[in-house]
Amino acid sequence: MIEFITQPWSWWFSGIIISTIMFLLIYFGQSFGFSSNLRTLCAASGFGKKVKFFDFNWKSQIWNLVFLLGAIIGGFIARQFLSTDAPVEIADSTILALEKYGFAAPTSLQPDELFSLDAAFTLKGFLVLALGGLMVGFGARYAGGCTSGHAISGLSDLQLPSLIAVIGFFIGGLAMTHFIFPLIF
Amino acid sequence: MKFFKFLLVGVLFGIVMSKSEAISWYRIQEMFRFQSFHMYGIIGTAVTLGVIGVFLIKKFNIRDFNGNPIVFHPKDMSVFRYILGGAIFGLGWALSGACPGPMVVNIGYGYLTMIIVFLFANLGTLLYGIIKNKLPH
């Protein structure tokens, strides 16, 4: 049992749990959409006074901020108690492809080349993290949702706008991976 | 106390995102290079079960735990905002290897530099809110 939990979880088991999370939130009278929290945080920071988009009753979204807090705690629990911190076993072809851009084979969950303190405090390293985050936050609201809101919740409800958004996610993701990576790494 | 259940579901979310390795930048790279089934399997399983569940909720008018009808809100139809907004999101997703949920799970996991990514994601949403009316939707 312990061994089962500390190993990486299979895609099918993980998929079942994620859909369970969506249905639990629906059963609790809410919906699964994580990036709404970014708008809520802007509103809770007082930007509603100046920008109309943030002028709404953000207190009705506290449940989602609590969910966010739980997600942080869940990450902590996974690392401290449920993990062996073995390297991510990605495909050999991906390891080879990333080597060309100066990324060593995985030694843990995330590449030190991007997420170590040393990397984050170089100009280029900082810009990669900052611009990555900026585009995610901007694009999520422009598209009206992120992976949870569109790819999971929206597609489950057979929403055409969500399918278009997911196609958009892939246009951007493929362009970054295949055309922009060679320019910046 | 009424929020405690959301905390627990959030904890479950943090654990499954970590244990499925969906919070890993490497897994997102693998996905955008079509070199593994892993991420497609996760999302595909969740959506398949989601479609079945949502269908059953609608067919049998299942109510939530307060006894209220469960309502699904259709999203406004448009192409432009979903393609362009989605593409901007995708550029950031592939670069940072994290969408908003995994960002905070990574912070809990101990990758503290993800705080930079998350702060700038908030800044991106703020920027969108400020220039929203000037953008085509």
Side-chain angles (χ1 to χ4, degrees):
Chain A
M1 182 66 186
I2 291 297
E3 197 180 328
F4 173 77
I5 290 175
T6 54
Q7 280 173 356
W9 293 357
S10 65
W11 54 264
W12 58 266
F13 185 70
S14 305
I16 291 171
I17 301 291
I18 289 169
S19 74
T20 303
I21 288 167
M22 180 185 80
F23 284 118
L24 280 172
L25 294 178
I26 290 173
Y27 182 65
F28 293 149
Q30 304 295 350
S31 62
F32 185 33
F34 199 92
S35 64
S36 304
N37 282 316
L38 306 179
R39 185 184 179 203
T40 305
L41 286 170
C42 289
S45 307
F47 287 101
K49 292 193 188 91
K50 287 183 179 140
V51 184
K52 195 167 170 293
F53 185 63
F54 302 112
D55 184 16
F56 66 101
N57 178 24
W58 63 267
K59 287 181 180 164
S60 69
Q61 298 299 307
I62 288 177
W63 70 269
N64 211 350
L65 293 180
V66 174
F67 179 82
L68 182 155
L69 183 67
I72 298 175
I73 297 169
F76 179 80
I77 291 173
R79 170 66 179 273
Q80 297 298 321
F81 306 112
L82 308 175
S83 168
T84 57
D85 210 28
V88 184
E89 287 186 32
I90 53 170
D92 291 339
S93 48
T94 308
I95 294 176
L96 276 175
L98 290 174
E99 245 171 28
K100 280 189 282 186
Y101 302 122
F103 290 93
T107 55
S108 61
L109 205 56
Q110 299 286 22
D112 283 341
E113 291 88 342
L114 287 176
F115 296 103
S116 66
L117 282 176
D118 287 347
F121 287 102
T122 62
L123 178 64
K124 183 179 160 185
F126 180 80
L127 283 176
V128 165
L129 298 182
L131 287 175
L134 196 74
M135 289 190 287
V136 167
F138 185 92
R141 271 300 46 79
Y142 198 174
C146 58
T147 323
S148 51
H150 276 310
I152 307 289
S153 298
L155 290 186
S156 292
D157 189 28
L158 302 176
Q159 291 277 327
L160 182 59
S162 292
L163 181 63
I164 301 171
V166 172
I167 292 169
F169 296 168
F170 269 81
I171 292 173
L174 292 174
M176 175 58 69
T177 301
H178 298 279
F179 301 123
I180 306 181
F181 264 40
L183 303 175
I184 57 177
F185 290 119
Chain B
M1 198 56 202
K2 65 175 178 173
F3 292 125
F4 188 66
K5 56 185 179 295
F6 294 110
L7 188 77
L8 291 184
V9 182
V11 169
L12 181 63
F13 175 73
I15 290 174
V16 70
M17 294 310 279
S18 302
K19 293 307 300 173
S20 66
E21 302 179 335
I23 62 167
S24 167
W25 181 90
Y26 295 113
R27 286 291 187 194
I28 305 304
Q29 271 301 302
E30 210 182 34
M31 174 180 79
F32 282 128
R33 293 175 189 280
F34 302 106
Q35 286 165 334
S36 167
F37 178 69
H38 188 75
M39 291 300 301
Y40 297 100
I42 293 173
I43 298 172
T45 304
V47 171
T48 304
L49 295 174
V51 167
I52 296 168
V54 171
F55 173 80
L56 293 175
I57 288 172
K58 287 179 174 174
K59 183 166 172 71
F60 295 105
N61 295 313
I62 295 173
R63 290 169 178 264
D64 69 18
F65 85 128
N66 285 320
N68 297 319
I70 293 172
V71 189
F72 295 93
H73 303 282
K75 295 178 190 295
D76 296 334
M77 190 53 205
S78 158
V79 174
F80 196 84
R81 70 173 292 190
Y82 297 116
I83 288 286
L84 186 61
I88 295 170
F89 177 90
L91 287 167
W93 189 14
L95 186 58
S96 65
C99 38
M103 285 178 196
V104 307
V105 178
N106 266 293
I107 295 168
Y109 202 89
Y111 287 106
L112 297 183
T113 51
M114 230 7 134
I115 294 172
I116 299 171
V117 185
F118 185 64
L119 285 178
F120 274 87
N122 279 278
L123 212 59
T125 295
L126 182 63
L127 183 66
Y128 170 76
I130 292 169
I131 66 171
K132 178 176 184 283
N133 293 333
K134 297 189 177 77
L135 297 170
H137 276 82

